[in-house]
Amino acid sequence: MNWKVKRTRSAALMAMSVLIVGVSAVRAQHSVGAANRPAISVLDSTKEQDGLVGSVRRVKTETAKIDFKDGRAVEGPAQLVEVTTYGIKGNRVENTSYPIGSSLVGKEEYKYDERGNITEMTLRDDRGAILSREAYSYEFDKFGNWTKMVTSLVVFENGELKREPTEVTYRTVTYYFDDTVAKVIEAPVPAPVLAPSVPETATQIQEIGFLEIVFNEAPRSIDVGEPPPALLEKIDGVESAFTARKENEIVLVAAGSDRNLANHFYLNGRSQFDAGDVHGAIDSFLQSIKLESASAEVFLNLGHAYLTIKKDGEAVKAFHESLKLNPDNAETQYGLGFANFRLRRFKDAADAFKKATTLNPQMAKAHYGLSLAYQEMGNTSGLLQEHRILERLDRSLAHKLEQTFPQYNFSCRLAVGCP
């Protein structure tokens, strides 16, 4: 069987120990399609053994190599890996796999997530010394099957572990129309909201680090936790900023309106977020965006969700997409400033916080974030100016600044010698 396909399946299919002897991580060939590769067929399996859930009829798997050109990740041509069709009872009725070349270079150790998907592979030589390490991240559809897997090489740069994407694998999953699909498609949903500012119905506050995310534009007094940016915890690792543009469609018979289904995924994501299932919320928001990509609101909520799990690079991208659709949203600018601050991009953070205060001069938390960014940039006069604004808007935040940075003369006004 094609080893590449085996790697992309759930661990439920792999009857192996944690330490196995195998081939190295496969790299996609540059040729497109499968015309020059011999096809093989394997029918002695079921969708459950293949790690699939739901009424799956067909799965098409493709892979593409990722190269860096001019500092940007560029996805190469897609290469077909496997097409498998399942009967109503879940048995394989048709399978065509296309082997991809590989080389024997060492032993591989795997780690898995709670769903049985591989999350990490460590390659060792015959003496047990580590040769390399790969990490795998996934995007899932509504029914729990992954539709995208990014393979990243773990590297060490500037004193930090980072992930460099090297390969992306896509699965297009087609389902039989059963009761589960019917509930998703036929459930009544309100009219889609394409691009309002910020949902007024969500009031949950998620505290993250020294600032907070508030799904409410109304100015209010807030508790932002322990804020000292000078003591900001170092973030271990850097999330890949790579996001593939390729579309992965979930084929649903009688799918109905894409817009209504997109709104369904969005509302489901909001419910999941409120219930604490942030990863599930992200999956739902991404599914909504695949169907309807013109909603600033969905991108805004996606950015907040990424911030919650500290995927700040992904959050920056989501907020930028939201601002393209609605540039006048103070909450989005605030979220963008928040993410950039945690990434230590203080100039970008200051710019975003400043725009938020321009759009909503009463947003105390944005003034507070701007003061912290100014402090990191050495802009003392800017810090003191924001402190004076906070004294009027939110005295508790002004007091936090005074406690955090006792070295500054916050009592200074316009006397000689004041910054």
Side-chain angles (χ1 to χ4, degrees):
M1 183 183 290
N2 185 356
W3 186 89
K4 169 68 180 179
V5 178
K6 290 173 67 178
R7 191 187 71 179
T8 61
R9 293 205 186 117
S10 166
L13 176 61
M14 303 179 183
M16 59 178 73
S17 61
V18 175
L19 177 64
I20 65 172
V21 179
V23 296
S24 65
V26 177
R27 298 289 176 258
Q29 299 174 350
H30 289 286
S31 60
V32 181
N36 298 322
R37 290 177 285 145
I40 60 175
S41 180
V42 179
L43 298 179
D44 59 342
S45 185
T46 66
K47 67 179 183 184
E48 288 78 14
Q49 290 175 316
D50 292 345
L52 297 164
V53 294
S55 58
V56 177
R57 169 169 171 74
R58 183 170 54 253
V59 178
K60 178 182 178 182
T61 305
E62 297 174 286
T63 186
K65 186 176 180 180
I66 298 171
D67 293 312
F68 279 85
K69 297 180 180 179
D70 299 325
R72 296 190 309 109
V74 178
E75 182 179 330
Q79 182 171 266
L80 182 62
V81 176
E82 185 179 46
V83 179
T84 302
T85 303
Y86 300 90
I88 288 287
K89 296 182 178 180
N91 58 302
R92 284 189 176 195
V93 296
E94 185 178 356
N95 168 263
T96 305
S97 300
Y98 299 94
I100 297 177
S102 61
S103 58
L104 297 172
V105 296
K107 301 177 180 179
E108 295 164 358
E109 295 177 355
Y110 290 92
K111 290 183 179 180
Y112 306 93
D113 62 16
E114 66 278 1
R115 305 189 191 195
N117 298 301
I118 299 171
T119 58
E120 186 176 280
M121 186 276 290
T122 300
L123 186 66
R124 297 179 182 271
D125 63 17
D126 293 337
R127 298 174 299 169
I130 296 177
L131 297 174
S132 66
R133 177 169 293 171
E134 286 185 339
Y136 309 92
S137 59
Y138 299 86
E139 292 180 6
F140 296 87
D141 65 16
K142 176 66 176 179
F143 306 98
N145 296 308
W146 67 262
T147 55
K148 172 185 170 185
M149 178 184 75
V150 176
T151 302
S152 299
L153 184 66
V154 179
V155 297
F156 188 71
E157 179 182 351
N158 294 330
E160 294 182 337
L161 288 178
K162 297 185 179 182
R163 295 183 178 185
E164 289 187 359
T166 59
E167 190 176 62
V168 58
T169 303
Y170 297 99
R171 293 200 308 192
T172 301
V173 185
T174 304
Y175 295 86
Y176 289 100
F177 189 91
D178 67 354
D179 190 58
T180 301
V181 174
K183 289 179 180 178
V184 172
I185 301 303
E186 297 172 356
V189 295
V193 183
L194 295 183
S197 55
V198 176
E200 295 180 348
T201 57
T203 58
Q204 178 180 3
I205 297 174
Q206 296 291 324
E207 290 193 2
I208 304 177
F210 66 92
L211 296 174
E212 69 173 7
I213 302 165
V214 182
F215 290 116
N216 194 324
E217 287 189 326
R220 57 182 294 168
S221 213
I222 54 177
D223 179 8
V224 294
E226 294 300 325
L231 301 179
L232 189 66
E233 291 184 357
K234 181 179 179 181
I235 299 174
D236 293 328
V238 176
E239 290 295 330
S240 168
F242 170 76
T243 299
R245 294 289 183 180
K246 184 178 176 100
E247 291 294 331
N248 293 294
E249 295 183 357
I250 302 176
V251 183
L252 297 172
V253 180
S257 168
D258 282 351
R259 180 169 292 185
N260 285 338
L261 183 57
N263 196 56
H264 171 85
F265 280 126
Y266 163 67
L267 294 175
N268 187 63
R270 288 283 299 279
S271 297
Q272 289 171 303
F273 188 93
D274 290 341
D277 182 10
V278 181
H279 289 279
I282 290 173
D283 292 342
S284 294
F285 293 146
L286 290 172
Q287 290 297 335
S288 178
I289 290 168
K290 287 179 182 178
L291 293 166
E292 172 57 69
S293 61
S295 173
E297 179 182 350
V298 179
F299 279 111
L300 171 59
N301 281 265
L302 177 63
H304 284 315
Y306 276 135
L307 277 181
T308 304
I309 59 174
K310 297 186 177 181
K311 286 193 172 183
D312 301 314
E314 298 299 323
V316 167
K317 290 190 297 181
F319 290 131
H320 275 305
E321 291 299 322
S322 182
L323 289 170
K324 289 179 183 178
L325 297 165
N326 182 12
D328 298 327
N329 192 315
E331 284 290 340
T332 311
Q333 293 287 0
Y334 171 78
L336 180 61
F338 187 130
N340 278 316
F341 190 100
R342 284 210 306 215
L343 290 170
R344 307 193 69 80
R345 301 170 182 170
F346 301 120
K347 177 61 168 61
D348 292 337
D351 289 344
F353 286 138
K354 183 65 176 177
K355 290 177 182 176
T357 62
T358 300
L359 292 167
N360 183 1
Q362 303 302 311
M363 184 180 281
K365 61 180 181 178
H367 286 285
Y368 182 72
L370 181 57
S371 68
L372 296 180
Y374 280 155
Q375 191 276 334
E376 290 289 342
M377 296 166 62
N379 184 352
T380 304
S381 62
L383 168 64
L384 295 179
Q385 181 180 356
E386 293 305 312
H387 172 266
R388 289 192 285 272
I389 295 174
L390 286 172
E391 283 187 309
R392 174 173 51 84
L393 295 179
D394 192 324
R395 188 66 187 84
S396 64
L397 292 182
H399 184 60
K400 282 184 178 291
L401 282 179
E402 296 163 9
Q403 291 180 317
T404 303
F405 308 112
Q407 68 271 31
Y408 296 120
N409 182 13
F410 288 105
S411 62
C412 180
R413 289 294 183 267
L414 298 179
V416 176
C418 287

